[in-house]
Amino acid sequence: MTTTRNALVAGSGIAGLAAALRLHQAGWKVRVIERAPRRRGGGYAVSFAGIGYDAAERMGILPALAERHITPDTMVYVRRDGTTSFTVPGETVRALAGPRNLNLLRGDIEDVLFQAVRDHAEITYGTTVTGVDQDGDRVRARLSDGTEAAADLLVAADGLHSTTRARVFGPEARFRRDLDHMAGVFMLDRLPDGVAPGTTASMTDTGRTLAVIDLGANGAAAFFGYRTADPDAELAAGPHAAIPRACGDMAWVAPQVLEQLGRAADVYFDTVSQMVVDRWSRGRVVLLGDAAWCVTLFAGYGSALAVGGADALGAALEEHGDDVPAALAAWEARMRPEAERKQRLGRQVKGLYAPKDPVRLWLRDLPLRAASNPVVGGLLRRRLQLRA
Ligand SMILES: Cc1cc2nc3c(=O)[nH]c(=O)nc-3n(C[C@H](O)[C@H](O)[C@H](O)COP(=O)(O)OP(=O)(O)OC[C@H]3O[C@@H](n4cnc5c(N)ncnc54)[C@H](O)[C@@H]3O)c2cc1C
């Protein structure tokens, strides 16, 4: 008879909560510890497709996620002076997204996972892992509240700057590949004047992007992305100093959006960096999500990959019974090609993201400009529907 196995999960982001849910479904007892003093909602709209979508279906959370789907509407590309450069109609945006693809706020994914797992896992906030020891049978984590927790598996789902990874695998600098951009995201309580209701509007000024998505009764969300030669200095300055310094002169709705930055509840502000870790597990400690691979928002797949990775981890543990290291090796063999493919995509998108050079910017927008043309848009929609 197998006894119930138990897992400790560091981090209650998308990867951590998905792992908690999937391990519970696999019959494990789960405890999650989160550094933040409370839940972290927030984030911009993310695309949720591929292995994340399939995993959500298997894990039984797809209906709840589908209820939160934001039907993509008109996308408006704006010039610096606020005049419209071109518009891609909602029907073309929806056709481009394709089937089995949800457009979700990152905070809504967090909420759906939290509601699904809250009664099945113990979640402790304001706590971190301060030390890790393991032998062949158990892993023991010292926690910042002075206690110790022993488990069959420690899942480090504590994000890009994972301190659990630093303790077990080595310092972050050894694994971090910077893509020389910063990203800042926060919710707005008011749609800025100049952004039409029901639209996603964006402006790319050389080296910088500001986008605002209208969320109807839920306000709006703002996204700033900008190039930098020194991501660590930006990170150290923090969002309230760094974003206005980098984007304060962007014109259009930037002043209105920045005025709301000061009162935003949870600002996501981070370097756009990938994690390149040669092996994602050491004994009974496994990295998951951004802590393991971080494909970046350029790949647009981080949350889907985190949920897909959690599901595959649960399946591997089910398959390999008590042999946890064998399960982790099988899981990595399954996940690595997908994560590396998405990392390659992220690196390709980097050059196109917020180009410094106006010619590259114009070239980057060319396909979307074409899609904004009614004839090309109609052809595109018909072609995509035929393929679907
Ligand atoms: C508030 C927020 C907003 C985001 N917004 C966007 C967005 O708009 N677009 C986008 O592409 N990506 C966004 N991301 C990143 C995105 O969520 C991830 O790329 C993806 O979902 C994979 O998530 P993850 O769970 O691996 O990492 P994360 O989402 O970074 O979650 C890691 C969690 O671990 C916690 N943590 C950190 N250190 C410790 C520690 N030492 N001990 C315990 N817990 C710890 C963090 O507080 C966090 O809750 C956001 C992340 C957060 C936290």
Side-chain angles (χ1 to χ4, degrees):
M1 195 186 83
T2 9
T3 49
T4 303
R5 290 170 297 164
N6 73 313
L8 184 66
V9 178
S12 74
I14 307 299
L17 290 175
L21 177 61
R22 186 59 180 86
L23 291 186
H24 159 69
Q25 291 173 340
W28 287 58
K29 189 168 180 283
V30 186
R31 177 169 183 204
V32 181
I33 56 159
E34 162 62 47
R35 182 178 61 187
R38 62 190 76 83
R39 284 175 59 196
R40 300 191 66 192
Y44 202 67
V46 298
S47 161
F48 195 83
I51 64 167
Y53 190 102
D54 298 344
E57 199 165 33
R58 279 192 294 272
M59 288 160 68
I61 53 170
L62 191 60
L65 288 174
E67 272 177 29
R68 315 283 184 106
H69 172 63
I70 308 164
T71 307
D73 217 326
T74 312
M75 294 179 77
V76 182
Y77 291 79
V78 178
R79 296 189 194 90
R80 236 183 108 78
D81 63 4
T83 56
T84 300
S85 173
F86 62 96
T87 298
V88 184
E91 49 199 352
T92 307
V93 178
R94 289 189 284 279
L96 285 169
R100 293 181 74 80
N101 186 347
L102 297 173
N103 187 32
L104 297 166
L105 286 178
R106 182 237 167 239
D108 279 345
I109 306 175
E110 188 273 346
D111 190 48
V112 165
L113 286 167
F114 178 80
Q115 299 307 337
V117 81
R118 61 183 304 170
D119 295 333
H120 307 296
E122 180 191 347
I123 307 181
T124 312
Y125 293 93
T127 309
T128 59
V129 172
T130 55
V132 179
D133 294 308
Q134 59 175 322
D135 54 35
D137 297 324
R138 301 284 277 169
V139 53
R140 282 168 302 280
R142 284 182 296 286
L143 306 184
S144 54
D145 61 6
T147 61
E148 193 177 276
D152 297 291
L153 175 67
L154 169 59
V155 181
D158 47 351
L160 177 62
H161 307 291
S162 167
T163 52
T164 314
R165 182 189 58 223
R167 286 181 196 288
V168 180
F169 292 71
E172 178 175 318
R174 193 186 295 167
F175 309 115
R176 204 173 105 190
R177 175 197 282 146
D178 285 325
L179 300 192
D180 309 323
H181 282 74
M182 301 299 294
V185 175
F186 49 97
M187 302 300 286
L188 305 175
D189 46 31
R190 197 171 56 72
L191 188 66
D193 303 331
V195 177
T199 66
T200 296
S202 67
M203 179 183 82
T204 298
D205 185 8
T206 47
R208 308 175 292 188
T209 292
L210 166 59
V212 175
I213 180 169
D214 178 28
L215 301 169
N218 297 322
F223 169 91
F224 281 101
Y226 61 91
R227 272 176 189 269
T228 174
D230 193 349
D232 283 326
E234 298 296 305
L235 207 54
H240 297 95
I243 300 176
R245 190 171 60 206
C247 303
D249 63 338
M250 271 184 89
W252 182 45
V253 296
Q256 291 180 66
V257 173
L258 288 171
E259 188 265 320
Q260 296 197 47
L261 170 62
R263 53 177 194 273
D266 192 353
V267 182
Y268 170 72
F269 181 64
D270 213 333
T271 66
V272 179
S273 312
Q274 299 188 330
M275 272 298 137
V276 186
V277 187
D278 58 350
R279 217 155 39 84
W280 293 333
S281 64
R282 297 277 193 275
R284 291 174 176 270
V285 182
V286 66
L287 307 175
L288 179 69
D290 285 0
W293 47 67
C294 197
V295 294
T296 74
L297 56 95
F298 291 162
Y301 202 63
S303 295
L305 205 54
V307 175
D311 179 44
L313 179 62
L317 289 164
E318 280 170 338
E319 203 176 305
H320 288 267
D322 284 334
D323 193 346
V324 171
L328 301 183
W331 167 78
E332 178 162 343
R334 153 95 178 77
M335 287 303 297
R336 193 170 271 283
E338 177 84 352
E340 290 183 350
R341 214 172 13 253
K342 295 297 177 189
Q343 285 191 329
R344 273 197 298 280
L345 174 68
R347 293 197 295 280
Q348 283 157 4
V349 171
K350 172 194 160 182
L352 299 171
Y353 189 66
K356 266 195 192 138
D357 165 1
V359 179
R360 282 172 73 92
L361 177 58
W362 186 82
L363 282 172
R364 184 205 67 172
D365 289 344
L366 208 54
L368 287 171
R369 276 180 203 279
S372 72
N373 175 296
V375 178
V376 179
L379 282 172
L380 194 61
R381 285 197 297 279
R382 277 198 294 281
R383 186 166 163 73
L384 290 167
Q385 276 153 16
L386 278 177
R387 276 183 162 186

